[in-house]
Amino acid sequence: MTTDDTTHRTPGHRTSGHRTPGQRDQGQHDHGCAAPDRRDREPAGGSPPPGEHGAAGDFTAEEVRRGRALRRAQWPPVLAGRAVWLAVLLGLGLSPAGEELVSAAPGAWWVEAAVGTVGLVLLGQAVRLPFSARVRVVRHRFGLVTQGWAGWWADVLRGLLITLPLAVAVVVGVYALARALPDTWWVVAAAAAAVLSVLLSWLAPVLLEPVFNRFTPMPQGELRTELLRLAERDGIPVRDVLVADASRRTSALNAYVSGFGATRRVVVHDTLLTAAEPEEVTLVVAHELGHVKHRDVPRGTALGALGAAAGVCLLAAATRWEPLLDLAGVDRFQDPGSLVLLAALASTSAALAGPVGCAVSRRVESRADRHALELTGDPDRFIAMQRRLSVSNVADVDPPRLLHALFGTHPSATQRIAAARAFAARGSAGPR
């Protein structure tokens, strides 16, 4: 569970904001301090004085100011990095320049496709890297980064070593199909995209997550026993409770449930164990169990597979439009010179679909919050936990509506606290 609205999820698990460190440049809010003492204002989790609900009543002026300051410093490079890379793709893809770059590679068509893919991935990394580095500098200034530059560069390299082979295999496969089945390639490619999406979701917890983090079993004790008991009471089989060494990179507080079936495990960041009370850790995990209870992982995987298949179909239709091919300087899509055009169309589609995905994500996260409240019957502690996460992760607790609507993956902290108070007011709190 997190309060961050700039996160990108790793395939293979449904979380409240967890990502691989290789993706963290635009992401998770880290923290440099635990929640400040509020005993002079109100008991932990208790209701603020009348008329003080919302950001002004639940957070100090300094906490609100700090979260807004981080948002104002972080979002410009985040959005600029995305916009500049999309502009580069469109500039190359909708002109002969993209075709000329790909065709410069000597050899057979598959060599052009492979070399062009590597070049495009590296170009994208180079364009976005200064913006990503700026985000890291901002987070470090707020005391939110524990990883040095050497570790940051190592994560960038790890990300590339995973992305490059996968991207090359996908692109070469698409062009092989397009050349072998010029009229029906998209049917096979759409099915393959759906299968690949599901496969990555299954393999990511086992193969990808360990590349970026080390996981150790949570020591035997009351907290581990309580978390396993909580999952059992919720009717959810959990293989293990693991601790991720997130503190090597960040001080953000988080936990998630990862994997399917026999690979399902509860993962708790070591930072959460250090900064939060055991009851708050339990509430965070209860939220994550809500994703499992409501089958958010298989549903998300199925939607991802359908989206991938639909995306292939839309791209196939677009690449049949001759004016686009003329702009790109290619006679037919089967020519690997159309690669940059394909990437530009895919990136544009993803950017346009982003706000819809964020809206769905916010609904899913709200439902998981309700599940945590119903499972634990402790709205006061839930509110205290939301405060701790928000302050520790330096979240903007009440972000601008348009920004939140376009990019927010979670309800804001004020919305989540208000929902908990509404739950308590309905008198439906109480362990099940």
Side-chain angles (χ1 to χ4, degrees):
M1 178 185 292
T2 186
T3 53
D4 181 19
D5 287 335
T6 62
T7 55
H8 303 278
R9 289 181 178 82
T10 303
H13 61 262
R14 182 69 180 86
T15 79
S16 318
H18 174 78
R19 295 178 310 162
T20 58
Q23 298 170 305
R24 80 194 186 293
D25 54 297
Q26 297 175 357
Q28 63 192 53
H29 288 316
D30 311 310
H31 77 94
C33 59
D37 195 332
R38 296 187 182 79
R39 286 175 294 182
D40 59 329
R41 297 170 58 232
E42 58 179 294
S47 299
E52 291 192 13
H53 287 179
D58 292 311
F59 301 93
T60 68
E62 174 61 19
E63 291 163 359
V64 173
R65 183 205 64 78
R66 188 168 159 79
R68 288 175 179 170
L70 174 60
R71 183 252 299 167
R72 289 167 179 161
Q74 176 177 257
W75 271 105
V78 167
L79 296 180
R82 297 177 186 179
V84 169
W85 175 231
L86 183 58
V88 169
L89 279 177
L90 290 172
L92 292 175
L94 298 179
S95 73
E99 188 275 337
E100 292 170 1
L101 286 175
V102 176
S103 300
W109 68 266
W110 62 269
V111 175
E112 287 187 10
V115 174
T117 301
V118 171
L120 197 59
V121 171
L122 293 179
L123 176 62
Q125 187 72 70
V127 168
R128 294 189 298 263
L129 206 58
F131 301 98
S132 302
R134 176 57 186 168
V135 172
R136 183 196 178 279
V137 169
V138 168
R139 304 172 97 72
H140 187 271
R141 192 172 76 230
F142 277 80
L144 311 178
V145 173
T146 61
Q147 183 184 44
W149 282 106
W152 186 80
W153 280 107
D155 281 342
V156 171
L157 180 60
R158 289 188 187 100
L160 284 173
L161 291 177
I162 292 173
T163 301
L164 284 172
L166 183 61
V168 168
V170 168
V171 170
V172 172
V174 165
Y175 280 105
L177 284 172
R179 297 172 74 88
L181 304 169
D183 295 324
T184 58
W185 67 269
W186 56 274
V187 177
V188 180
V195 171
L196 181 61
S197 178
V198 173
L199 186 63
L200 287 176
S201 293
W202 279 89
L203 293 180
V206 178
L207 299 181
L208 298 185
E209 290 180 18
V211 173
F212 294 98
N213 285 104
R214 287 193 292 268
F215 300 89
T216 56
M218 180 178 288
Q220 297 292 335
E222 290 185 12
L223 181 57
R224 175 187 173 86
T225 300
E226 175 57 27
L227 295 181
L228 290 174
R229 185 183 298 122
L230 186 73
E232 182 180 3
R233 190 167 81 239
D234 210 16
I236 297 173
V238 171
R239 177 185 177 185
D240 203 354
V241 180
L242 304 180
V243 179
D245 60 341
S247 59
R248 290 193 300 125
R249 296 181 176 86
T250 177
S251 46
L253 310 185
N254 198 13
Y256 60 95
V257 176
S258 177
F260 296 85
T263 66
R264 183 181 296 136
R265 63 264 184 97
V266 173
V267 180
V268 180
H269 282 192
D270 55 357
T271 51
L272 182 64
L273 295 178
T274 301
E277 299 294 333
E279 294 83 358
E280 293 172 347
V281 176
T282 300
L283 265 161
V284 172
V285 173
H287 169 99
E288 301 304 332
L289 290 175
H291 289 308
V292 181
K293 190 72 171 181
H294 292 287
R295 302 183 62 79
D296 292 335
V297 175
R299 286 181 180 178
T301 300
L303 286 175
L306 290 174
V312 169
C313 295
L314 290 175
L315 290 175
T319 53
R320 289 175 179 267
W321 195 33
E322 290 190 6
L324 273 180
L325 296 176
D326 291 340
L327 283 175
V330 295
D331 297 326
R332 57 184 190 138
F333 166 70
Q334 288 79 1
D335 181 352
S338 65
L339 170 61
V340 185
L341 171 63
L342 189 67
L345 293 174
S347 296
T348 301
S349 299
L352 294 174
V356 177
C358 287
V360 172
S361 176
R362 289 193 296 271
R363 290 179 63 89
V364 169
E365 297 299 335
S366 294
R367 184 174 62 189
D369 281 351
R370 289 194 300 272
H371 182 85
L373 289 166
E374 292 168 356
L375 182 61
T376 63
D378 195 350
D380 285 351
R381 185 69 67 175
F382 181 93
I383 292 170
M385 177 265 295
Q386 286 296 333
R387 290 178 183 146
R388 185 184 296 277
L389 289 176
S390 298
V391 173
S392 296
N393 296 352
V394 196
D396 185 355
V397 298
D398 192 17
R401 290 184 179 180
L402 180 60
L403 186 71
H404 190 62
L406 293 177
F407 303 107
T409 58
H410 295 65
S412 68
T414 54
Q415 290 171 336
R416 299 174 96 163
I417 290 173
R421 288 202 174 101
F423 176 88
R426 289 195 299 269
S428 53
R432 295 188 300 177

